[in-house]
Amino acid sequence: MRKIVLIAGALVLLAAAVLPSDAAVSDQAKFKKATAAFDKGVKAAQAGELEQAETLFQQALEQYPLPGAYVELGKIQMARNNPAKALEYYQQAREAFLKLHDEKIKSQAAAQNQSREYAQQDQQSSKPTVGGFAKVSVEKDKSQRTEEQRQVVATDQEADIPALFYLYISGAYLKLGKPDLAEKELLEGIAKDTKMAPLQFSLAVALMIQGKYPEAADAARKARDLGFKLPPAFVTDLETRGQLKL
């Protein structure tokens, strides 16, 4: 069964889904150059000009580590039937997503601390201090700032990785004959978006390969209920292997 073709053809990666927000970028000039090259690369890839697209995505990465550029390079390698190299790019994309997330957390914490310091300065300038009150107040404020930092991290502790990313990386694992790792990635993607039908179908494929037929059937039904048209060959294969009815 040409499951990788089915998976890759299920959705087209939207460029906006894999680009970081401006707020999370420290060097705006390089970021703009990177996004310009990235956009040209997407157009080249859509036109089937993979070599030109590859060059443009690499040029984008020379300016800024855009997660989307790594993802698109991975897709090019999948088109060349090189899932091992594709997986390397997908893993680099994950690292880039996590790095952007860390920058976002640090930026949020710094902004919150600065805002609190301004408030503290206003409070201290308007109120007289007596004895050791000022020292106690400062220590209390430091403790509260630390707690607020923890709250920022707790509130936004999950990196903003698009659910679609897991569809691509799982496709590489399936092509490499590692359905168990594909399953793990797909479950993460489904946790982010339970209504993305191709994720459910890909999960069904990964589960069927592992001989988990009832679970595969359940995932296939969910995909179908979400509007995904199950390939007849897949339905026949799963029903025969699992001795069940979808």
Side-chain angles (χ1 to χ4, degrees), residues 100-168:
L100 286 171
H101 177 68
D102 290 342
E103 290 181 1
K104 179 181 178 181
I105 293 297
K106 290 177 182 178
S107 177
Q108 289 177 336
Q112 195 170 51
N113 283 345
Q114 187 176 49
S115 176
R116 182 158 186 81
E117 285 173 1
Y118 287 149
Q120 181 196 7
Q121 290 172 5
D122 291 341
Q123 186 179 33
Q124 289 180 343
S125 62
S126 61
K127 291 184 178 181
T129 60
V130 180
F133 174 76
K135 182 177 180 180
V136 173
S137 178
V138 169
E139 292 300 324
K140 182 178 180 181
D141 186 70
K142 287 182 179 178
S143 177
Q144 188 165 353
R145 286 205 304 272
T146 300
E147 180 60 29
E148 287 177 348
Q149 286 179 339
R150 294 196 189 101
Q151 290 174 357
V152 168
V153 174
T155 301
D156 203 7
Q157 63 184 340
E158 186 176 351
D160 187 20
I161 301 178
L164 194 54
F165 165 80
Y166 298 93
L167 187 66
Y168 289 107

Side-chain angles (χ1 to χ4, degrees), residues 47-64:
E49 300 171 354
L50 297 186
E51 289 187 7
Q52 181 182 358
E54 184 177 32
T55 298
L56 288 164
F57 292 136
Q58 289 172 342
Q59 289 176 356
L61 291 172
E62 290 174 0
Q63 296 296 324
Y64 192 86

Side-chain angles (χ1 to χ4, degrees), residues 27-48:
D27 192 330
Q28 291 295 324
K30 288 186 176 182
F31 175 67
K32 289 180 179 179
K33 290 180 181 179
T35 54
F38 177 85
D39 291 341
K40 291 179 182 178
V42 170
K43 292 179 181 179
Q46 291 174 342

Side-chain angles (χ1 to χ4, degrees), residues 225-239:
D225 291 344
L226 290 169
F228 190 92
K229 187 176 181 179
L230 299 176
F234 167 80
V235 173
T236 300
D237 198 6
L238 179 55
E239 289 183 338

